[in-house]
Every structure is written in structure tokens, then in C-alpha cells.
Amino acid sequence: MNLSFFDQFMSPHLLGIPLILISLLFPALLLPSPRNRWITNRISTLQSWFIYTVTKQLMAPLNKKGHKWALILSSLMIFLLSINLLGLLPYTFTPTTQLSMNLALAFPLWLATLLTGLRNQPSASLGHLLPEGTPTPLIPALIMIETTSLLIRPLALGVRLTANLTAGHLLIQLISTATAVLFSIMPAISILTACVLLLLTILEVAVAMIQAYVFVLLLSLYLQENI
């Protein structure tokens, strides 16, 4: 095989046109279209229950001022969850394995929470850079450390999501390749690795859901600090 294991993370192209936009828009096609009735079928009921549960969990650490962000955070959660789960299907592309995309999602939202805090409560937002009761000689060092930790938050959000999904996809590809290669040589070992692959796939489904939730939950916690 001349293909590398990392080729699966390359953005697909068709006639020189990147298909990542189709990958980003495809999850929206799976959602039921709105109707005049509140509840039309079981899928709509399940969708409404899921959105309500997600919104309730995300808004739990926020006060009433932060509830204005409910639509943005819930939509982001469903968007990331759909992309992560669809990326586990065979012959699909996962856009959230691209660090550039994850940073493009994390940085504007983190900056919006920061600017919200600086506009509404500038003293409290800047007060996070210097803990109360800090000795005078340590003030410059602590300000630099807290500023650095504040600025790397969007980078940490993007890298965490990218690293977890990339590692899971690589493990699935490695074990599936080993299963196919060992099938003609050692069938018993191949069946054992197939069982491991099944368990790993179930684990990756859980990781895809958890990472989408963690990404949005951390954004909501950053928002809580600034409101």
C-alpha cells in the first residue's frame, strides 16, 4: 500500500473543488424539516427531547444573562455531534479532525465571551488575571502566567478535539488493517482483533459524543466567567 494512514485526514477534492463544505452541510440534511405542528412523529419528538436535554445541561452553569447564548451553544453542540458521529462511517471524511476548522470554531466564540466580559464587567474580567492576596513581587509573573493561560484557551479547545478524534480514527484504521491482514494467516487472531475493533468502535462513538459536549461545555464555562 502506497497510501499513508494519515491520508484519511486530507480534505477530499472533486475536480479541484474541496468537498469539505458538503461535509459541513450534510448533517443539516439529516434533521427533520420544521412543520406547522409541534409534534409530527417520533423522530420530531426524539429530536425535541434531545435538544431540550442538551440545552438544559449547557445552561445549568450559567445565570439568566447567559441564557441568550442557548441557541448558539445548542446549535454548535448538535453540529459537532453530527459531524463526529458521521465521520465514523466508512468512506466518510471528518472535518473536525482538521485543526484549522476547530480553531475557526473555537477562537471567535472564545473571543466573543472575552469581549462580553470586558464590555459588561471590565474590572471583574481583568481581576481574573491577578488572584486576590498575591504577594507584590509575584504580581508581574502571575499576570504573565494568567494572560498566557487565557490566550491559549482557544488553542486548547481546538487541539483537544482534533487530537482525540485523530487518535481514534488512526487506531480504528490500524486495527482494521491488522484484522484484514491476519485473516488469511491466523484466523483466530484475526477474530480476536475484530472483537477489539468492535469494542474500539463503540468507544469511539462515546468519545465523539463526549468531545462535542466538552467543547461546548468549556465555552459555556468561559462565558460564565465573563457574565
Side-chain angles (χ1 to χ4, degrees), residues 23-38:
S23 301
L24 295 177
L25 296 177
F26 185 73
L29 302 177
L30 301 178
L31 299 178
S33 58
R35 303 291 181 88
N36 294 330
R37 300 178 180 179
W38 282 7

Side-chain angles (χ1 to χ4, degrees), residues 16-64:
I17 302 175
L19 301 180
I20 188 172
L21 294 179
I22 299 179
S23 301
L24 295 177
L25 296 177
F26 185 73
L29 302 177
L30 301 178
L31 299 178
S33 58
R35 303 291 181 88
N36 294 330
R37 300 178 180 179
W38 282 7
I39 298 177
T40 57
N41 50 38
R42 290 186 177 89
I43 297 179
S44 299
T45 304
L46 183 62
Q47 179 191 10
S48 301
W49 171 83
F50 178 74
I51 294 176
Y52 170 77
T53 304
V54 168
T55 306
K56 183 178 179 181
Q57 291 294 327
L58 293 177
M59 295 297 106
L62 300 178
N63 54 28
K64 291 185 177 180

Side-chain angles (χ1 to χ4, degrees), residues 132-154:
E132 187 177 356
T134 304
T136 304
L138 297 179
I139 289 178
L142 280 179
I143 291 178
M144 294 178 60
I145 293 173
E146 292 296 331
T147 303
T148 304
S149 65
L150 178 65
L151 295 178
I152 66 173
R153 281 180 174 181

Side-chain angles (χ1 to χ4, degrees), residues 29-197:
L29 302 177
L30 301 178
L31 299 178
S33 58
R35 303 291 181 88
N36 294 330
R37 300 178 180 179
W38 282 7
I39 298 177
T40 57
N41 50 38
R42 290 186 177 89
I43 297 179
S44 299
T45 304
L46 183 62
Q47 179 191 10
S48 301
W49 171 83
F50 178 74
I51 294 176
Y52 170 77
T53 304
V54 168
T55 306
K56 183 178 179 181
Q57 291 294 327
L58 293 177
M59 295 297 106
L62 300 178
N63 54 28
K64 291 185 177 180
K65 293 182 180 180
H67 291 179
K68 300 176 182 178
W69 290 66
L71 179 60
I72 297 177
L73 296 179
S74 300
S75 301
L76 180 62
M77 170 71 181
I78 296 173
F79 175 71
L80 291 176
L81 182 61
S82 301
I83 289 181
N84 292 349
L85 292 178
L86 288 174
L88 293 174
L89 297 176
Y91 302 103
T92 56
F93 173 70
T94 312
T96 44
T97 56
Q98 306 295 312
L99 181 60
S100 57
M101 176 189 162
N102 294 334
L103 289 179
L105 290 174
F107 184 78
L109 293 172
W110 166 82
L111 185 61
T113 61
L114 183 61
L115 294 179
T116 300
L118 292 176
R119 184 189 65 179
N120 295 335
Q121 45 179 15
S123 299
S125 297
L126 295 176
H128 291 301
L129 301 179
L130 185 62
E132 187 177 356
T134 304
T136 304
L138 297 179
I139 289 178
L142 280 179
I143 291 178
M144 294 178 60
I145 293 173
E146 292 296 331
T147 303
T148 304
S149 65
L150 178 65
L151 295 178
I152 66 173
R153 281 180 174 181
L155 180 62
L157 283 175
V159 171
R160 180 187 294 107
L161 182 58
T162 303
N164 282 281
L165 295 180
T166 302
H169 283 67
L170 283 176
L171 281 174
I172 289 178
Q173 185 172 3
L174 286 170
I175 297 179
S176 60
T177 303
T179 303
V181 171
L182 293 174
F183 184 75
S184 58
I185 304 174
M186 293 180 288
I189 302 299
S190 178
I191 294 175
L192 181 61
T193 54
C195 296
V196 174
L197 179 62

